[in-house]
Amino acid sequence: MGKIYNVGIIGGGVSGAVIALQLAKNNIDSILFEKETSLVNGPPFCHLHAGGNLYPDISDEQCKLLMKQSIDMARLFPQSIDKRPTFISIPKSEKYEIEKMESRLEMLVDYYQKLVDEDPSNEILGAPNNYYKIYTKEDLIALSDKPSVKRPSSADEWMSNTMKFIDHEKLKSPVIIVQEYGWNLFRFGAQAQLALNKTEKCSLKTNTMVTNIKDVRNQKLDYNWEICTRDGVYKVNYLVNSCGFKTGTLDESLHLNVERLIEFKAAYVSKWKPISGLIPELIFHGERDTPHGMAQLTPYCDDFYQIHGMTKDITLFENGLIQSEFNKAQPEFNEGIQQKLQGAWAEGEIKTRTENAIDFVAKFVPSFKSAVLGGPPLFGAQQIPGKDPNLRVGEVSFPSKSYARSEIVKASSALTVANQIINKIQEEKIIPTICSQSAQYLLLDAISKNEIDQLAGELAVQRGYPEALSRLLIERN
Ligand SMILES: Cc1cc2nc3c(=O)[nH]c(=O)nc-3n(C[C@H](O)[C@H](O)[C@H](O)COP(=O)(O)OP(=O)(O)OC[C@H]3O[C@@H](n4cnc5c(N)ncnc54)[C@H](O)[C@@H]3O)c2cc1C
């Protein structure tokens, strides 16, 4: 008889990879199936949402959750965190009020201080009192005379570099620098993959598509599920569905109906002239899905910049956000979007959308007009559980016995989901109760920076992106 695994995980994105790592840390064996050739190959991510400052419309509760979950993930994967801050501004034309953002930031400083008081290792966003800094118009004018700093180390230096490029007359005063960092998906994927390759507790099956699930829970066998792939059938006690936007496909094969949204989005890679000092990520807020939605410029190494523009001719797409139909769990994109998901973009569309993105940013950063196409877009689809497209914290649900469904909306929620699943597995007595949890993460800590550098670079190139996208602006030792 073949081996019976405690947990079978379908989907090796951020969520599936972190679940497998957390199970291995707790000595629980698992088998992880990923249809692509490497892990974390789904929708992209570039921003660690440690406070939710990219979303003026979400609740304080979601902001706090995003901050806590981001800190937890950054502690595990420090080599993927780019410690450059984020510049937040509101164009004069927009409805948002800077005062509201300020009072939310004050609330976040108190919350961050509380997290640091509970555990000093949580202080990964700098000192709580330096979490954000506000700059009035007068402050900005004073800073604009300061020389550029190649590698800034204070909020003032980041802001003075920014002032060399932005048209601050278009922005409401004040503007903000906040300690929301960058998050490198290639480095994250490399560290997760290297760690999972090293542990005997996880059987990692990349290049393996799950084609069917057989529910044998009522057949009085020694296991609950059979997971079918082209090369065999695998027996598991507990099933985890972490298929991202395809989560509904498994739900349907288990005859479960769930309301969910799925959304296709893209960010564009551009190359700009060399500039004399690093700049933070630049955010120009705006109402999503209007012609003046948020613009986000994310700096990478070697003068590459990634652009999101929350309008239909840049990051968002006509029919890009769809919901499950009555009695169905898996929404289906139209043919055009399905083709894009496979990488088959219509000729010229990448160039046009990248140029739209460059023009969009150039409204606030006039010299960015000279930027050019720098590589293929980073794109993908994600799920949003329920029917609120503004939900930013999705976690996990347990629709039936021995079955968990990961429903993360932001990559930072993955560890919370993994821990909730481990609690459930103990509750269902799939494994004995775990008595003591080790605070250390030996498996992840054993992966060296050199190994991550090497594999992250390879992953970027294999996927068609410049190798520079796998490096951090602020190198860590
Ligand atoms: C343009 C864009 C920008 C984003 N930016 C950010 C950001 O800055 N910060 C942030 O936190 N989040 C961001 N997100 C959201 C983030 O990308 C997702 O929340 C996250 O990647 C979801 O992870 P997941 O593991 O749930 O799903 P996925 O990453 O989609 O993983 C699911 C995996 O399951 C595999 N799979 C599916 N079906 C099968 C099967 N039958 N057999 C085997 N394998 C299967 C897929 O190949 C895939 O690898 C962004 C999303 C988009 C689209």
Side-chain angles (χ1 to χ4, degrees), residues 10-16 33-36 41-47 49 183 208-210 242-246 263 265-267 308 378-383 406 408-412:
I10 306 173
V14 185
S15 192
F33 301 90
E34 168 52 52
K35 68 180 168 59
E36 301 297 333
N41 211 339
F45 51 90
C46 64
H47 187 92
H49 291 280
W183 196 4
T208 310
M209 166 107 176
V210 170
S242 52
C243 287
F245 85 98
K246 282 288 193 184
E263 183 167 35
K265 290 185 293 182
H308 286 80
L378 289 139
F379 60 86
Q382 66 174 104
Q383 63 174 324
S406 170
I408 65 171
V409 178
K410 291 291 158 201
S412 41

Side-chain angles (χ1 to χ4, degrees), residues 66 69-70 73 183 392-395 408-418:
L66 284 170
Q69 295 179 345
S70 296
M73 288 289 272
W183 196 4
R392 293 290 171 258
V393 186
E395 293 182 352
I408 65 171
V409 178
K410 291 291 158 201
S412 41
S413 304
L415 185 60
T416 308
V417 165

